[in-house]
Amino acid sequence: MSKKNASSTPFFTPYKSPAGGWGALQSTTKHWLKSENAVRNIHTLLKTNQPHGFDCPGCAWGEKHDPAKIRFCENGAKAVNWEATSKRVDAAFFAKHSVAWLNTQSDYFLEYQGRLTEPMRYNRETDHYEPISWEQAYTQIADTLKKQANPDSVAFYTSGRASNEAAFLYQLFARAYGTNNFPDCSNMCHEASGYALTSSIGIGKGTVEIEDFERADAVFVFGQNPGTNHPRMLETLREVVQRGAQLLSFNTLKERGLERFQNPQKPIEMLTNGSKPTNTGYYCPNIGGDMAVVRGMVKVLIEMEEKAQQQGNKPIFDHDFIKQHTQGLDDYLEQVKNTHWTDILKQSGLLKEDIIHAAQVYAKAESVIITWAMGITQHHHSVATIHEMVNLLSLRGNIGKPGAGACPVRGHSNVQGDRTMGINERPSQAFLDAMEKHFNFTPPQEHGLAVVDTIRAMRDGKVGVFIALGGNFAAATPDTQATEHALQQCELTVQISTKLNRSHLIAGNDAIILPCLGRTDIDHQTKGQQKVTVEDSFSMVHASGGVLDPLSPEQKSEPAIIAGMATATLGSFPINWEEAVSDYDIIRDHIAEVVPGFKDFNQRIKQDGGFYLGNSARERSWKTPAGKAILHSHPLPESVLAKRANDLASDKTLVLQTLRSHDQYNTTIYGMDDRYRGIKGERKVVFINPADIQRLGFTEGQSVTLRSLWDDGVDRKISGFKLVPYSIPAGNIAAYYPETNPLVPLDSHGEFSNTPTSKSIAIELEAYQEESNNIALTSA
Ligand SMILES: Nc1nc2c(c(=O)[nH]1)N[C@H]1C(S)=C(S)[C@@H](COP(=O)(O)OP(=O)(O)OC[C@H]3O[C@@H](n4cnc5c(=O)[nH]c(N)nc54)[C@H](O)[C@@H]3O)O[C@H]1N2
Ligand SMILES: Nc1nc2c(c(=O)[nH]1)N[C@H]1C(S)=C(S)[C@@H](COP(=O)(O)OP(=O)(O)OC[C@H]3O[C@@H](n4cnc5c(=O)[nH]c(N)nc54)[C@H](O)[C@@H]3O)O[C@H]1N2
Ligand SMILES: [Mo]
């Protein structure tokens, strides 16, 4: 960094060390101490992901079964530390602070206040939350639910931490009440993966198991930042590289974890300060340019195939697989041939030789895995992009053979399980029929509302009651102003939560907070201590039991809270709810009867490491209408921006992706640093190519306003963000979520997936004059 840079962006120093290693250990210790509960936390951490401990609430990456290993990472440790805090947000806290005052505080401040410990109800007159008994809370909720003329005026939101048992009970409650309105975090996350995979290979989940990474000849990682969001994946990636396989990473940014990793579990490596690479090739496409990359690769493969045919060499394509297992090849190849290199190169932003190299690596490998996360799923054309990746895999039979397959890397630790349990606004008929058969009532047959449609329905007065099983709807969703307004129009909002967050402060006319136990807490019910189960990204289901005494006897488990609301609303229809939560084995017995793959559930979770749910596509059984894997052919989009933004775009327009810092868990902010990207004590930053800073007439470190382009006349802007010169392709910028959500228009969502386009927002920058009291760089 030159002197000039250092003074204009004092919070930015590029990070030179590998990911993991001493930096991670130092940070883990810091967060340990800061959570004010060091001893309790060490005990807890050692139980993370152990056979008799709890499932890490951090991410959904799976584990190989190996009891001898300590199994948590720096960011899992943060998640655990902050959940296991002994600080409390209780009646005294709410008596002291009005909602208006709390709303002026940062997300970091709110998270830091501690665990919610007693049920509270909002008093609009005093603008304070006040204590309420559990019975009063249940009665209030039930009264409101019972007086709705139409059950579809209620929405039941779920965040992906909910256990299988909680999720199953929750969907049963909502469906028995009469609605399929299940907006969930998945709608903002891997919805495109679920949709694209179901419509191509007949199952909406990844087809690989963790062991496949040991056999893959090549792994392609698209649009994800495992160094921060799935740190346990780094070990897998570096093992791939170490045994000589190919690992190509595609990311708009140079993410440290995708470059080098120092394994904190390897003492010699730590002592010698060594590290190992986590890729054999790294490409930085434009935001939204991945479909073009894959299309280019397939174009190269077609040429290679034609050449092989002419020369009588071994074909590139797996013709047996294509013939026996797929449909749509000819149309797809036609579509690829009609896509011009100029468009591919322009949209991808890569050099032709890079794409050729990637295609050659792909063609040489006998088994290939493709992994991806939010860099792929949060665009207008995400479903098309994932179809394209499935096509690429299919051309060489890379689905359903060892060391190969599709691997969407999930976010929340049980987001995949929640879907399996029926948290789905578009349930399959088979699922509804199984519910009907087992519980003897007819669940609502019409599809319900996902996240974006729920916000629209609240805005339009069609949904007036909002119940959230975890999460932070107000901050996680797009178009913050519109969403907050929609929530505030509700008659009642109910938040079942562990920690204070923005959604408690953006209250409906009536608002209730129900404090619940987290993964780390011991869950006592009338028939003894309970375990729950979760499903990871590899479809492994295993048990999770808390290890800490709850902070307060007034905190209840999620299943118990659902049972309480359901009993007050429905009595003992269609089951005796209180009995079901006395012993979660009873819930699991219901699950075993309704959800495919869960036969003998209670027996099978006793085995260490859990059990595998199976995956039809992995067996090359295709549950599509045609009985084959479908190769979809989409044209390359004209622009990565939605048309309504693109029509307004000029040469000043930049494409913004919103991402996570190293010190956050979605809307939960643990700290103000982003170590691997070299940011300290600041979140209001824009990562931008130095050439763009110059071209647009700004200077490094300058404070700007970001304004988003959309054709509805609403002025969406955020101000006071500082320009950080960064290695990112020109024309692209990046900034942190959730601060940037006011910029995402509600109507800007993915085709087929309806996922907000959080990774491709059209932006223009303007100089912003700081007010004098705004200049402080650190807000921590
Ligand atoms: N510590 C921690 N762990 C987490 C979470 C957390 O917030 N904190 N969140 C959890 C959840 S819910 C989820 S969904 C996952 C999220 O995991 P990620 O998907 O890794 O999360 P993001 O921070 O959104 O990172 C997106 C990555 O994709 C890149 N990218 C963005 N757009 C593009 C593009 O168009 N093309 C390409 N090739 N790359 C692109 C960005 O540079 C960035 O590296 O992590 C889970 N785990
Ligand atoms: N702009 C932009 N927006 C995005 C994204 C993005 O990349 N960019 N990412 C999207 C993605 S991938 C996701 S998954 C969503 C996340 O959306 P959400 O899942 O709604 O948000 P979280 O921040 O994970 O929710 C945090 C809150 O959950 C509660 N909580 C934590 N643990 C528990 C528990 O065990 N039980 C209960 N009941 N509550 C608990 C706490 O009160 C905490 O404050 O955000 C989406 N929004
Ligand atoms: Mo997510």
Side-chain angles (χ1 to χ4, degrees):
M1 276 273 98
S2 69
K3 262 207 169 121
K4 179 174 154 272
N5 294 354
S7 62
S8 49
T9 44
F11 44 84
F12 174 56
T13 331
Y15 191 74
K16 302 248 168 56
S17 308
W22 289 109
L25 270 194
Q26 208 181 358
S27 156
T28 306
T29 319
K30 192 180 92 190
H31 281 267
W32 243 329
L33 298 176
K34 219 167 142 202
S35 68
E36 298 183 10
N37 218 343
V39 177
R40 194 170 133 110
N41 288 349
I42 289 173
H43 171 66
T44 328
L45 276 175
L46 294 175
K47 292 276 186 188
T48 311
N49 290 335
Q50 291 295 334
H52 302 290
F54 56 88
D55 179 73
C56 181
C59 72
W61 186 252
E63 287 294 343
K64 267 185 75 171
H65 180 55
D66 176 1
K69 219 156 138 201
I70 299 177
R71 286 183 280 190
F72 60 86
C73 65
E74 177 194 354
N75 278 349
K78 278 184 210 158
V80 167
N81 279 335
W82 291 107
E83 181 171 297
T85 177
S86 54
K87 291 172 66 130
R88 294 156 187 268
V89 171
D90 53 13
F93 175 92
F94 284 113
K96 193 163 155 209
H97 303 299
S98 71
V99 167
W101 184 82
L102 287 169
N103 245 328
T104 62
Q105 301 303 305
S106 67
D107 294 324
Y108 172 74
F109 174 91
L110 299 179
E111 161 66 21
Y112 192 62
Q113 302 313 306
R115 287 286 295 271
L116 294 158
T117 52
E118 51 193 305
M120 306 295 298
R121 182 174 179 189
Y122 181 52
N123 182 336
R124 192 156 286 281
E125 266 161 33
T126 61
D127 192 39
H128 281 263
Y129 271 99
E130 294 168 356
I132 178 176
S133 73
W134 279 101
E135 282 321 307
Q136 285 169 321
Y138 292 150
T139 308
Q140 182 57 35
I141 294 165
D143 286 350
T144 309
L145 290 180
K146 283 193 266 189
K147 74 171 208 267
Q148 300 302 309
N150 178 352
D152 287 331
S153 61
V154 183
F156 291 84
Y157 178 68
T158 312
S159 168
R161 290 249 182 125
S163 64
N164 289 333
E165 290 72 9
F168 186 81
L169 223 53
Y170 192 58
Q171 65 82 29
L172 176 61
F173 169 40
R175 293 201 162 103
Y177 172 69
T179 184
N180 280 318
N181 286 346
F182 291 108
D184 81 318
C185 68
S186 185
N187 301 141
M188 300 179 272
C189 184
H190 266 293
E191 187 75 55
S193 309
Y195 185 94
L197 293 175
T198 305
S199 53
S200 56
I201 60 171
I203 181 166
K205 300 181 184 183
T207 67
V208 305
E209 293 175 27
I210 185 98
E211 285 80 9
D212 285 313
F213 284 89
E214 293 165 12
R215 306 182 62 165
D217 294 332
V219 176
F220 289 73
V221 178
F222 280 95
Q224 70 171 120
N225 181 22
T228 287
N229 299 312
H230 306 91
R232 287 173 296 138
M233 183 179 179
L234 292 186
E235 197 183 337
T236 307
L237 297 185
R238 70 173 231 163
E239 279 167 11
V240 169
V241 175
Q242 252 180 307
R243 68 180 170 75
Q246 292 287 322
L247 199 148
L248 299 194
S249 229
F250 296 82
N251 196 304
T252 310
L253 300 176
K254 279 274 168 69
E255 303 284 26
R256 205 59 195 118
L258 292 168
E259 296 184 315
R260 292 197 81 80
F261 175 54
Q262 183 176 61
N263 192 340
Q265 306 213 3
K266 294 205 171 17
I268 291 179
E269 191 166 302
M270 292 292 278
L271 290 172
T272 57
N273 213 13
S275 66
K276 293 282 189 304
T278 46
N279 73 70
T280 58
Y282 201 129
Y283 303 104
C284 296
N286 285 326
I287 291 171
D290 305 86
M291 181 176 173
V293 173
V294 178
R295 178 132 313 176
M297 286 172 66
V298 175
K299 233 173 145 60
V300 177
L301 291 175
I302 294 175
E303 281 172 25
M304 291 168 82
E305 171 68 17
E306 285 170 355
K307 211 161 153 194
Q309 270 178 16
Q310 282 161 12
Q311 299 178 345
N313 290 341
K314 191 171 169 233
I316 298 295
F317 293 172
D318 182 340
H319 290 284
D320 291 342
F321 178 85
I322 292 170
K323 203 162 156 211
Q324 196 183 337
H325 294 291
T326 71
Q327 180 178 302
L329 180 76
D330 293 346
D331 286 348
Y332 174 62
L333 294 185
E334 195 59 30
Q335 182 74 257
V336 176
K337 284 183 186 162
N338 290 337
T339 315
H340 299 292
W341 271 112
T342 39
D343 295 329
I344 290 173
L345 298 181
K346 183 166 167 247
Q347 196 161 103
S348 69
L350 297 188
L351 299 173
K352 190 169 176 185
E353 57 250 42
D354 291 340
I355 296 180
I356 293 173
H357 175 70
Q360 285 167 341
V361 168
Y362 178 80
K364 265 199 203 130
E366 284 307 317
S367 50
V368 175
I369 293 175
I370 298 183
T371 82
W372 70 90
M374 298 303 101
I376 294 299
T377 63
Q378 297 176 332
H379 299 287
H380 186 68
H381 59 299
S382 293
V383 167
T385 304
I386 298 164
H387 279 157
E388 196 78 11
M389 299 194 304
V390 169
N391 294 354
L392 174 65
L393 286 172
S394 300
L395 290 177
R396 284 180 53 78
N398 277 312
I399 301 177
K401 74 178 175 193
C407 180
V409 181
R410 303 278 165 179
H412 267 301
S413 52
N414 197 39
V415 63
Q416 186 161 319
D418 291 346
R419 269 289 156 90
T420 308
M421 291 298 119
I423 301 295
N424 192 342
E425 78 285 356
R426 296 182 284 197
S428 70
Q429 195 57 44
F431 183 84
L432 293 179
D433 293 347
M435 289 279 290
E436 173 156 8
K437 187 158 166 244
H438 180 66
F439 291 112
N440 218 2
F441 74 94
T442 307
Q445 305 287 304
E446 255 176 51
H447 287 177
L449 304 174
V451 163
V452 167
D453 281 331
T454 295
I455 299 168
R456 290 181 178 136
M458 290 194 288
R459 175 195 65 195
D460 300 340
K462 290 181 187 148
V463 161
V465 182
F466 178 79
I467 300 179
L469 182 60
N472 184 0
F473 194 83
T477 50
D479 227 344
T480 311
Q481 246 187 317
T483 299
E484 291 190 351
H485 184 67
L487 275 167
Q488 283 164 329
Q489 269 181 238
C490 285
E491 173 183 356
L492 171 67
T493 50
V494 179
Q495 303 286 343
I496 302 165
S497 318
T498 51
K499 288 288 200 79
L500 183 62
N501 66 42
R502 193 67 56 197
S503 299
H504 304 114
L505 310 176
I506 307 297
N509 189 41
D510 194 0
I512 292 174
I513 299 174
L514 302 175
C516 69
L517 300 176
R519 285 276 169 80
T520 52
D521 300 311
I522 296 173
D523 180 356
H524 274 293
Q525 300 298 332
T526 52
K527 291 195 185 140
Q529 197 170 320
Q530 303 298 320
K531 285 192 171 184
V532 293
T533 59
V534 294
E535 175 185 340
D536 67 24
S537 276
F538 305 110
S539 304
M540 290 295 297
V541 178
H542 48 91
S544 169
V547 294
L548 291 175
D549 286 321
L551 266 193
S552 148
E554 287 292 303
Q555 291 168 320
K556 285 187 192 286
S557 78
E558 291 176 337
I561 295 171
I562 296 159
M565 295 191 298
T567 305
T569 312
L570 304 171
S572 51
F573 171 76
I575 59 167
N576 182 332
W577 301 90
E578 300 299 340
E579 189 193 15
V581 293
S582 67
D583 178 353
Y584 297 173
D585 279 0
I586 300 175
I587 307 175
R588 283 185 286 269
D589 283 338
H590 287 301
I591 295 172
E593 292 293 324
V594 172
V595 186
F598 284 83
K599 199 160 172 285
D600 300 325
F601 194 5
N602 277 311
Q603 285 309 313
R604 287 157 80 200
I605 55 162
K606 293 204 177 99
Q607 90 209 33
D608 280 353
F611 64 93
Y612 178 54
L613 264 186
N615 180 294
S616 46
R618 191 182 168 82
E619 310 301 322
R620 297 193 167 173
S621 150
W622 317 100
K623 299 202 179 304
T624 56
K628 294 199 168 183
I630 311 294
L631 307 186
H632 291 269
S633 28
H634 302 272
L636 203 62
E638 244 166 70
S639 158
V640 302
L641 296 172
K643 187 166 185 313
R644 291 175 66 182
N646 199 42
D647 286 350
L648 303 172
S650 70
D651 59 359
K652 282 184 6 197
T653 307
L654 302 164
V655 185
L656 167 72
Q657 61 140 322
T658 62
L659 40 53
R660 292 151 173 82
S661 80
H662 197 63
D663 273 1
Q664 74 182 84
Y665 194 94
N666 296 339
T667 67
T668 301
I669 313 300
Y670 302 126
M672 305 300 286
D673 300 344
D674 191 5
R675 193 170 74 249
Y676 298 150
R677 298 197 188 104
I679 299 291
K680 225 174 160 41
E682 183 56 274
R683 283 186 59 86
K684 288 177 81 173
V685 295
V686 177
F687 298 99
I688 180 169
N689 186 302
D692 279 333
I693 299 184
Q694 210 181 18
R695 178 175 71 89
L696 297 168
F698 298 115
T699 52
E700 292 176 21
Q702 184 174 350
S703 192
V704 294
T705 292
L706 289 80
R707 178 170 269 126
S708 80
L709 303 183
W710 199 249
D711 67 357
D712 60 359
V714 177
D715 189 20
R716 295 180 180 83
K717 62 172 185 179
I718 50 177
S719 294
F721 285 65
K722 295 178 187 66
L723 297 177
V724 173
Y726 207 78
S727 165
I728 180 172
N732 301 270
I733 54 175
Y736 300 130
Y737 131 80
E739 287 84 344
T740 40
N741 260 334
L743 298 173
V744 186
L746 188 60
D747 289 340
S748 181
H749 47 70
E751 203 181 357
F752 310 111
S753 63
N754 291 342
T755 298
T757 56
S758 317
K759 295 284 191 279
S760 44
I761 310 157
I763 293 292
E764 280 176 10
L765 300 177
E766 283 164 24
Y768 174 70
Q769 208 50 49
E770 297 276 339
E771 288 164 27
S772 55
N773 62 353
N774 245 352
I775 286 176
L777 290 176
T778 33
S779 3

